[in-house]
Amino acid sequence: MDEALGTRSRRSSSSGLRSGLIVALAGFLSVVPFYVWIHHLQVQGKSAAALAMPDMHMSQMDKYWSFPILQATGLAALIWAYTGVALGLLESGRRISWVPLSRSQIDRLHRQIGLLVLALMGVHVVATAFDAMGDSWRTATIPWQWANQGWPQAVTGYTTGIVAFYLALLLGPTYYARKALGVARWRFLHRFTLVVYLLSLWHTMILGLDVSHYGWVRPFVWLMQIPLLYLFARRLRMPAAADRTPPGARSVRRVTSRGLAVGCWVGIVVVAAIVLTGNSAFINTV
C-alpha cells in the first residue's frame, strides 16, 4: 500500500513538473509576439505610444528599451489572468461534463497559471520603473504617486495596477499556507483573487495605449468578460457538491448571489453598449 502511494505521489510530482514547465514555456511564448510587434512599431515611430506622445521620440530604443517589455508582459499577464480566473470558476463549482480535464488537472493548471501571472506582473512592474517616461520605483510601487497634470486618469490607472500587484503577492502564496490558515479561511481569502483580476482589467483599460489606439480592443475586451460572467453566475447558482452550508443560509446566499450575478451581467452589457456607441467621457475611465 505504501509503495503504491509512493509511486502515485512520484507520478503526480512528475506530471506537475512537466505541466509547470509547459505553462512557463507557454507564458514566455505568449510575451514574445507582443514584444516583437510593439518593438517593431516603436522603432518606426508607429506604435500606439509613439503616435500618442510624438514629443517623447520613442523610436530611440536605447532610451525606451523597457517600454515594449512592460506592454508585452502586461498584455500577456491579463490574458493568463483571464484563463486562471476561468479555470478557478470551473474548479470551484460543479464539474462541466464537456471540459476535458479532471478537477485535479484544473486545480494544478490554475495554481501554475497563478504563479505565471505573478511572474509576469513582477517583470511588468520592474519594466515600468525603467520606462524612461517619468516613472521611477516610487511611481511603479507606491499608490497615488503619479502626478501628470495632462493625464489625471493615470493616477487611478497606476493605483489600481499597484494595488492589484500587492493583492496578488499577498493572496497567491496563501495556497501553500492553507493548512496553517485553515481551509475555510483560505477559501474565503482566495475569492479576493477576483478583485485582483478586476483591478488589473481596469488598470489596462485606463493606461493601455494600445487599447485606446485600436478602437476594436475596448469592446472586444469587455465582451470577452461575458464567458467569465456565465461561469460566475453558474458557480453562484450551482455551488460545489461539497457545500455544507445550512439550507436556510444557503437560500439567503443563493438569492443574494443571483442578484449580484444579474447586476454584473447588466453592468457588463451597459459598459459594452456605452463603449460601442463611443461615449468618450466614459471611455476615458473604462
Side-chain angles (χ1 to χ4, degrees):
M1 177 67 73
D2 291 342
E3 184 178 349
L5 289 174
T7 301
R8 188 178 306 167
S9 177
R10 287 192 295 273
R11 287 177 179 173
S12 178
S13 299
S14 175
S15 179
L17 177 61
R18 184 168 57 252
S19 61
L21 290 174
I22 292 172
V23 168
L25 177 61
F28 173 76
L29 293 177
S30 68
V31 173
V32 171
F34 284 125
Y35 174 80
V36 171
W37 171 56
I38 295 169
H39 184 278
H40 173 71
L41 291 177
Q42 191 169 318
V43 168
Q44 297 180 327
K46 297 179 180 179
S47 68
L51 293 173
M53 298 175 287
D55 295 339
M56 300 293 290
H57 305 292
M58 294 190 68
S59 60
Q60 300 174 18
M61 294 306 299
D62 57 332
K63 181 179 180 181
Y64 297 106
W65 59 269
S66 74
F67 198 76
I69 298 174
L70 80 86
Q71 286 196 303
T73 52
L75 291 170
L78 187 65
I79 292 171
W80 284 106
Y82 179 97
T83 305
V85 169
L87 288 173
L89 291 171
L90 280 173
E91 179 189 0
S92 61
R94 294 181 181 174
R95 187 175 180 276
I96 298 177
S97 59
W98 51 264
V99 175
L101 296 171
S102 67
R103 191 175 295 276
S104 62
Q105 289 173 323
I106 292 175
D107 176 66
R108 183 190 303 148
L109 282 174
H110 177 63
R111 286 186 281 111
Q112 292 168 343
I113 288 173
L115 293 175
L116 171 63
V117 171
L118 270 177
L120 290 172
M121 290 176 77
V123 176
H124 182 70
V125 169
V126 173
T128 300
F130 286 97
D131 72 359
M133 295 178 64
D135 276 307
S136 64
W137 286 105
R138 179 174 59 85
T139 61
T141 59
I142 302 176
W144 307 109
Q145 295 300 303
W146 182 260
N148 187 332
Q149 298 300 320
W151 194 9
Q153 296 89 359
V155 177
T156 303
Y158 272 76
T159 298
T160 53
I162 292 167
V163 173
F165 178 58
Y166 287 143
L167 275 178
L169 283 178
L170 288 171
L171 296 173
T174 58
Y175 172 83
Y176 302 98
R178 65 192 185 284
K179 290 184 179 179
L181 291 169
V183 175
R185 188 176 292 110
W186 168 73
R187 284 178 177 169
F188 173 76
L189 290 173
H190 190 66
R191 291 171 184 171
F192 286 93
T193 55
L194 282 172
V195 177
V196 175
Y197 174 72
L198 291 173
L199 288 173
S200 301
L201 182 63
W202 195 7
H203 168 78
T204 304
M205 292 295 99
I206 296 174
L207 295 183
L209 291 170
D210 291 309
V211 172
S212 302
H213 182 71
Y214 301 104
W216 60 271
V217 176
R218 284 185 190 276
F220 174 77
V221 170
W222 283 116
L223 293 173
M224 279 300 296
Q225 307 315 305
I226 292 178
L228 289 186
L229 283 173
Y230 166 75
L231 291 175
F232 181 59
R234 184 181 182 277
R235 171 66 181 88
L236 296 176
R237 185 174 60 86
M238 299 175 61
D243 189 357
R244 296 182 176 86
T245 306
R250 193 181 305 167
S251 298
V252 173
R253 187 183 65 182
R254 186 180 297 117
V255 171
T256 304
S257 299
R258 286 181 178 178
L260 178 62
V262 170
C264 289
W265 272 92
V266 172
I268 286 291
V269 171
V270 169
V271 168
I274 293 174
V275 172
L276 284 168
T277 55
N279 187 320
S280 59
F282 186 77
I283 285 174
N284 285 334
T285 58
V286 299

